[in-house]
Amino acid sequence: MPTRRPSARVLAVIAASAAVISGVALGAPAASAQISSSSAQPATGGWGGIYQKQTLRVATYNLSLNRNAAGDLVRDLSTPDNAQARTVAEVIQRANPDVVLLNEFDYVAGGAAVDLFRANYLKVGQNGANPVDYPYVFTAPSNTGVPSGFDLNNDGTVGGGDDALGFGQFEGQYGMVALSKHPIRTDKVRTFQNFLWKDMPGALLPDDPATAAPADWFTPEELGVVRLSSKSHWDVPIDVGGHTVHVLASHPTPPTFDGPEDRNGRRNHDEIRFWSDYISPVSSRYIVDDAGARGGLRVTDSFVILGDQNADPKDGDSVDAAITQLLGNWRIRDPKPTSPGGVEASALQGGANLAHRSDPRYDTADFADTAPGNLRADYVLPSLALIPVRAEVFWPAQSDPLSRLTGVYPFPSSDHRLVWADLRVPRW
């Protein structure tokens, strides 16, 4: 007989009460040695009857393993000696998440690239770090580099990355991969690669400032093909001790590289909004997945939103309140991962960082010092029923031996940092 799910009211009471006993553990400084796996950490406190004994470590990492041409990533990962791949693999091994979303990992049909990364890098201990095995993988096509057949940037020519359905020089560039130590319910995965931007009610469609008509940057014919997702949006359900956690994965476009029409800034806003709508049973009614199923999550579903959202709460070029759509959503809790390296880098690099309003301890990306400076761009955002007990940005201070993994420009790994949170997962 299936276990009966508690009501939304019960969930809210449990989450609010558990938050009181768990909040003190957040923001612990990163250790220089390998961080203990969350699967080996008991969830302490008086909630053993409600929550599973072990916590779940969930992470997101834009590891910049994208390449300039199709086939290059497979070539680079075919041997175990690619310097960047070894470095990002060690970052993952040191953090040792149970579930991790990889952004900017080129999509290769059949999973050849991710299989090579697992076999040649993650399963091989790097510089004394323990190997890590992810038996469960999900990846799928990306809109990046897919020709639209239209002049989407209005420069008078058709073709190239800027006229693709998502920016990319070839199909699949800047793709995504989800890795898990827990079973992925592949029969329940939902993708939203094909959802059209115009089909979002109240979409912030870009406007051509040279005309009087509103929201007319794209022609009606172009709106018939322009998709919301610059890469894709995925709902990847994972079975964690009998409890389903929906990993909501995405990588919205950077809100830059456009003009006064702000087509990328507006798209970034609406790509972020998609998840805010998806987790609301009322607001999600317009959403249709690639298989034709309509709607989003139930109010009782557990989820964690992962990905490089390319939006800081206070700084950078994103549309005002873009990420606040998630940070201010009542169904989401923000564990606010921190690092010592972000604070140090902001002070040492100066430039645009000096005028930032956000606290640099929350930064997750080391961008150009002139503009936009370092930002909080990468997020692990669990639902109320998943209780955070610890959260960090993998950004060691320069005095830490592991700072060699993040470094300074030109980076040995990525301009983004891995972000993780340990979560208590319900038993039911």
Side-chain angles (χ1 to χ4, degrees), residues 384-407:
L384 286 177
L386 303 176
I387 309 301
V389 296
R390 187 180 177 191
E392 293 183 13
V393 180
F394 189 95
W395 196 340
Q398 291 186 10
S399 60
D400 190 318
L402 291 186
S403 67
R404 61 180 170 78
L405 298 175
T406 51

Side-chain angles (χ1 to χ4, degrees), residues 64-323:
S64 300
L65 270 183
N66 58 284
R67 293 298 184 259
N68 293 324
D72 283 0
L73 184 58
V74 169
R75 179 202 63 201
D76 287 352
L77 299 180
S78 293
T79 65
D81 54 6
N82 181 269
Q84 185 203 8
R86 291 192 63 185
T87 304
V88 296
E90 185 179 350
V91 170
I92 295 170
Q93 290 171 347
R94 297 288 179 182
N96 196 17
D98 299 307
V99 178
V100 58
L101 174 69
L102 307 181
N103 288 138
E104 295 195 5
F105 190 105
D106 295 341
Y107 171 74
V108 178
V114 67
D115 288 346
L116 289 168
F117 185 55
R118 289 188 298 161
N120 289 340
Y121 294 91
L122 293 176
K123 290 185 179 181
V124 178
Q126 308 292 339
N127 291 306
N130 293 328
V132 62
D133 182 24
Y134 293 103
Y136 306 102
V137 179
F138 180 77
T139 189
S142 172
N143 284 325
T144 49
V146 178
S148 69
F150 291 95
D151 179 16
L152 299 184
N153 64 354
N154 290 352
D155 69 350
T157 62
V158 175
D162 226 18
D163 287 335
L165 295 179
F167 181 82
Q169 301 300 332
F170 60 89
E171 293 190 25
Q173 190 179 29
Y174 309 111
M176 303 189 297
V177 175
L179 302 176
S180 178
K181 297 178 183 179
H182 297 273
I184 294 175
R185 302 183 62 186
T186 53
D187 60 323
K188 300 295 184 181
V189 170
R190 302 179 70 189
T191 65
F192 303 88
Q193 180 190 8
N194 299 320
F195 182 82
L196 296 180
W197 191 358
K198 70 177 180 64
D199 290 340
M200 171 180 275
L204 293 184
L205 296 173
D207 176 64
D208 186 347
T211 70
D216 64 340
W217 180 263
F218 297 124
T219 67
E221 293 75 19
E222 290 169 345
L223 287 175
V225 302
V226 172
R227 298 171 182 176
L228 173 65
S229 298
S230 53
K231 287 82 177 176
S232 190
H233 284 70
W234 300 341
D235 177 347
V236 183
I238 295 179
D239 185 345
V240 182
H243 183 85
T244 297
V245 176
H246 294 260
V247 169
L248 306 183
S250 61
H251 182 191
T253 186
T256 54
F257 311 114
D258 50 20
E261 83 289 346
D262 197 22
R263 68 186 188 281
N264 289 333
R266 289 167 175 262
R267 189 180 193 180
N268 171 273
H269 174 281
D270 283 356
E271 287 194 76
I272 294 170
R273 177 191 153 190
F274 181 88
W275 286 136
S276 184
D277 289 347
Y278 187 74
I279 62 177
S280 169
V282 174
S283 300
S284 65
R285 292 172 181 171
Y286 70 88
I287 294 174
V288 180
D289 66 26
D290 293 334
R294 183 175 294 275
L297 294 183
R298 300 170 299 179
V299 73
T300 53
D301 288 331
S302 295
F303 62 86
V304 57
I305 297 173
L306 299 179
D308 173 7
Q309 303 296 325
N310 273 310
D312 183 280
K314 299 179 181 179
D315 303 311
D317 300 312
S318 59
V319 172
D320 288 347
I323 195 62

